[in-house]
Each structure stands twice: as C-alpha cells, then as structure tokens.
Amino acid sequence: MIIEHTPNSENTVLVLGATGKTGRRVAALLSARGVPVRSGSRSAAIPFDWTDRGTWAAALAGADAVYVAYQPDLAVPGAPADIKALCVAAAAAGVRKLVLLSGRGEPEALECEAIVRDSGLSWTVVRCAWFDQNFSEGAFTDFILAGEVALPAGEVPEPFVHADDIAEVAVAALLDDRHAGEIYELTGPRSLTFAEAVAEIAAASGREIAFIPLTRTDFVAALTSYGVPADEISLLDYLFGTVLDGRNSDLADGVRRALGREPRDFAEYARDMADSGVWSVTADA
C-alpha cells in the first residue's frame, strides 16, 4: 500500500519555475489535489528570483517540499553554486524534501544532482532531455507554424518525453516518501529523429511541414530572426551541439517505475495539440 501525506496547511510545496513548462503543470496537479502551493517565480506574490538570493528566504519559509526547476538550465555556468546555495537556504528554512528536475546526458546536471543528494534533505531526481512540448510551447512553435522546421539535427533518434508525464512523476515524488532517494530517468516509449517527429506533427495537423537540416551557425541566426531570447538560443545551441549525439537515444523506465504505467507516446501528443489548434494557421497568414 502506498501511503501519501494528507494535504494540510503544514505541507506547502514551493514550485520553482512555476510559470514554465513543467512547473505550471506541477502546480496545477498539486492544487487539484488540495495541496497548498506557493508559486516560485519573479512575478509571484512572494517572489523567487534565481538571480537575487535575497528573495529566497521568504519564498522558502514554511515550505515542506520544493520542486526545483532551475532557470534557464542546469548546464549553464553558475548553476552548481546556485543549487548549493538553495540547498543551504532550504535546510535553514526547515524544508524537508527537494525534487530536482535534471538534464539527461548533461555532465553539469550530474554535478547539481550530487549537490542535492549530499544536502542532508530528502531528495528525488527527475532526469529528462527533450520535451514533446518544445514543438508547441517552445522555440520550435514558430517553425511549425511557418511550415518549415530547420534544425541542426541529423539522424540521431531522441525519445521525446511528455511534460505531463514529467509533472506527474514530480508530484508523486513530492507527495509520497517511497520515491525518496530515487533517480527517475524519463523518456517517451519510442525514439524518433527530429525529422520523424515533424512528420508526425504534419500528419496529425493535416499540414505540409518540411524538415530542413541546418548548421549550428545558421540555426542560431534563424532563432535570432524569430526573436527567441539570447539565453534560450545559447541553451538550444548547446543541446544540439553536445547532448544530441546519441547518448540519450536509449529508452528509460522512469515513468513506469514511478507511476506504474507506460509513458505517453509522441503521436498522442501530436494529435492532442493538433486538436487544440495550436498549430493552426489562418488562410491569410
């Protein structure tokens, strides 16, 4: 039998990155279960800003657990120092548990994981790479709408993971102590090249969407022309140039181990997003 903590006023969960792809899903799932949630973002009533450690104490005060989604990514310089400082601040505030969103195949993320494991707090690591939602909520959305996805990705397959699966695993870890000390590596149920992923989106949306391989230099220029923020461009360039080399092509069993079910398939994601209209274009677009 799985025993979970009963939601009450004393087990507030602080969700860092609460406006991001996974954070807002984690916050919504917790709220739906009656768990007190504190939004950890710069715009929150009690703000949390990774670049201003003076905001951390108030955001952490009274929290039992923290979902740690680092912005912009654990691979950037300075991340280990920030994660170390957060662990110290969390312990001082009486936080009991940390659930860290980590990067699959990123050496820098492994360093941050080690810091969390050595923090003295209860911990769970949720390790992921490319999200399905990069095509509907991220930098690739405009490419899909334009009908031409140009990326520096060749034939390396990637087992894209659904952000809803990430959030459900994170919430399970936040609420159930049986997940303490676990590292959950999450993937979808099959691997696709980026060209294959785009083809599935085209089929689901009923649109012609071409995939064009680019050099990294041309990719950065294209993102810049679309107005993508510089820090996101830098991160994507790193991910395509370093992490997308086959190291993450194998499937992992984290969703099944954590939730007792298979992960959502990319085709399901593509159908749902097509039905939502997120990739629809008007006749005069």
Side-chain angles (χ1 to χ4, degrees):
M1 177 182 295
I2 298 172
I3 300 175
E4 298 184 354
H5 291 285
T6 301
N8 59 60
S9 60
E10 296 180 354
N11 68 352
T12 296
V13 176
L14 172 63
V15 178
L16 303 183
T19 59
K21 291 184 186 69
T22 64
R24 63 183 178 82
R25 288 173 165 85
V26 169
L29 288 173
L30 290 169
S31 295
R33 298 181 68 164
V35 178
V37 176
R38 181 175 301 152
S39 176
S41 68
R42 287 177 293 183
S43 60
I46 303 175
F48 180 95
D49 186 344
W50 281 108
T51 66
D52 182 2
R53 295 184 184 180
T55 65
W56 295 8
L60 289 164
D64 175 71
V66 182
Y67 175 66
V68 184
Y70 184 77
Q71 299 295 325
D73 190 271
L74 292 177
V76 305
D82 282 344
I83 294 298
K84 175 65 175 177
L86 179 73
C87 289
V88 171
V95 170
R96 186 176 62 88
K97 177 188 298 185
L98 301 176
V99 174
L100 176 69
L101 178 65
S102 186
R104 191 176 186 227
E106 297 178 13
E108 302 86 350
L110 293 179
E111 182 180 354
C112 293
E113 290 180 17
I115 292 168
V116 170
R117 293 199 308 270
D118 294 339
S119 67
L121 303 175
S122 178
W123 59 269
T124 305
V125 169
V126 180
R127 188 187 290 163
C128 316
W130 294 96
F131 299 178
D132 295 353
Q133 280 70 19
N134 288 128
F135 294 99
S136 55
E137 299 175 25
F140 309 151
T141 309
D142 286 340
F143 291 179
I144 297 291
L145 291 172
E148 183 177 284
V149 179
L151 297 173
E155 295 303 311
V156 176
E158 172 66 28
F160 297 94
V161 62
H162 200 296
D164 286 356
D165 285 345
I166 300 170
E168 288 184 26
V169 172
V171 167
L174 287 164
L175 298 183
D176 187 343
D177 286 342
R178 77 180 178 91
H179 300 287
E182 294 284 354
I183 297 175
Y184 291 122
E185 198 157 308
L186 310 185
T187 70
R190 60 192 173 105
S191 292
L192 300 166
T193 66
F194 274 80
E196 289 169 339
V198 169
E200 294 208 6
I201 291 172
S205 62
R207 297 179 51 220
E208 291 187 7
I209 306 173
F211 178 82
I212 300 173
L214 283 183
T215 66
R216 287 172 63 187
T217 299
D218 288 342
F219 175 59
V220 168
L223 290 178
T224 303
S225 71
Y226 276 105
V228 177
D231 58 349
E232 188 172 351
I233 293 174
S234 177
L235 174 60
L236 288 169
D237 183 47
Y238 164 81
L239 293 174
F240 276 111
T242 305
V243 178
L244 192 67
D245 63 357
R247 71 184 70 181
N248 290 333
S249 295
D250 291 339
L251 304 182
D253 64 355
V255 172
R256 184 168 59 254
R257 287 201 298 120
L259 302 178
R261 64 163 175 81
E262 294 303 310
R264 293 172 171 86
D265 188 77
F266 189 88
E268 176 186 347
Y269 156 77
R271 289 193 301 269
D272 288 346
M273 290 300 96
D275 289 344
S276 77
V278 69
W279 295 317
S280 298
V281 292
T282 59
D284 57 352

